Amino acid sequence: MLDQILHPSIDFGIDTVFILIILVALEAVLSADNAIALASIAQGLKDEKQQNYALNIGLLMAYVLRMTLIVTATWVIKYWQFSLLGGLYLLWLTYQYFSSNSEGEEENSSKLNFTSLWQAIPMIAFTDLAFSLDSVTTAIAVADEIWLILAGGTIGVIALRFLAQLFIRWIEEFTHLQDAGFITVGLVGLRLIVKVAYPTLVPPEWLMIGVIIGMFVWGFSKKNEIEQNS
């Protein structure tokens, strides 16, 4: 893969365009739960300007980490410890969310609260990195050329920024959306751990996508009463 970076062979044929479209579509589908997690993290900052700043800087850091992951992917996937740490991190994030929720806080308030902007930014970057462990592996299975995977990842991060902004608004509008998002975050974390411990039990990608779609249908199924009355 390093040789591909130093001596890239770029071919803009029909097959290349088709593969790039597939990579972008995969990023879009696999980023839905990622986007809601990042939106919820940003909501831990009460000021809207700080939320936007945290998303911008956090995703810029995430982009650097994701490109590094892609470049070193053939080395990283040899070490199961990376997947284990990523899975544990996502499960910890899910636990933090639901344990805060059980402490009697307001149902629709943000469950992750930060006293400093720089508490949120690293969490945004590393959350995206944890999600990328699975999506990068999928991208490598689809495409052989490193520049295509890098291009798909770049478009994915840009799309993720706008998706996260939308989810910040939707979280305030729909009652179950944030819960649905963090349930899928937990499922992705669990999948990474199962992939390490029992690879034969890992659910297929289409099943995970189906579950994510189902969770988001539930997430968008009920509006908050304030929104309904307005």
Side-chain angles (χ1 to χ4, degrees):
M1 187 166 284
L2 181 60
D3 184 62
Q4 291 185 41
I5 298 169
L6 297 175
H7 305 94
S9 175
I10 300 177
D11 177 15
F12 285 102
I14 294 176
D15 290 345
T16 301
V17 174
F18 182 67
I19 292 172
L20 184 58
I21 291 172
I22 291 175
L23 288 173
V24 173
L26 279 171
E27 284 287 347
V29 172
L30 297 174
S31 291
D33 46 359
N34 190 356
I36 192 172
L38 300 188
S40 296
I41 292 170
Q43 268 205 326
L45 297 164
K46 301 305 179 185
D47 183 72
E48 187 176 343
K49 287 184 179 179
Q50 284 194 331
Q51 291 175 3
N52 290 330
Y53 188 78
L55 284 173
N56 289 336
I57 301 300
L59 283 174
L60 181 61
M61 290 174 59
Y63 176 76
V64 174
L65 290 173
R66 189 185 288 211
M67 295 302 105
T68 303
L69 177 62
I70 291 172
V71 170
T72 60
T74 53
W75 175 76
V76 169
I77 59 178
K78 295 178 183 178
Y79 297 92
W80 55 266
Q81 290 90 344
F82 288 101
S83 292
L84 180 62
L85 287 173
L88 289 173
Y89 173 77
L90 292 178
L91 288 178
W92 172 81
L93 199 62
T94 305
Y95 170 76
Q96 286 290 104
Y97 171 79
F98 283 106
S99 63
S100 296
N101 189 24
S102 65
E103 289 174 2
E105 295 183 10
E106 292 183 19
E107 183 179 355
N108 297 317
S109 64
S110 175
K111 313 302 188 304
L112 300 172
N113 297 300
F114 303 107
T115 56
S116 167
L117 180 69
W118 292 100
Q119 288 178 324
I121 289 175
M123 189 172 284
I124 287 172
F126 284 108
T127 298
D128 179 75
L129 181 64
F131 273 95
S132 297
L133 287 169
D134 223 17
S135 62
V136 167
T137 305
T138 303
I140 291 172
V142 172
D144 295 324
E145 297 186 50
I146 184 65
W147 75 268
L148 266 176
I149 302 172
L150 290 170
T154 300
I155 295 171
V157 169
I158 294 170
L160 189 59
R161 173 63 182 86
F162 292 103
L163 271 175
Q165 192 67 48
L166 282 173
F167 274 113
I168 288 178
R169 190 182 72 217
W170 287 337
I171 284 170
E172 296 176 352
E173 186 175 348
F174 293 94
T175 305
H176 303 304
L177 185 57
Q178 200 168 17
D179 288 346
F182 272 97
I183 290 172
T184 58
V185 169
L187 289 175
V188 171
L190 189 61
R191 185 177 187 272
L192 285 172
I193 293 174
V194 171
K195 199 172 183 179
V196 170
Y198 302 100
T200 56
L201 297 180
V202 176
E205 202 70 54
W206 63 264
L207 181 59
M208 283 297 296
I209 292 172
V211 170
I212 290 171
I213 291 173
M215 291 306 304
F216 277 87
V217 168
W218 172 64
F220 283 106
S221 64
K222 181 183 177 183
K223 284 192 172 185
N224 294 327
E225 292 183 6
I226 295 176
E227 294 290 337
Q228 290 175 339
N229 296 330
S230 60

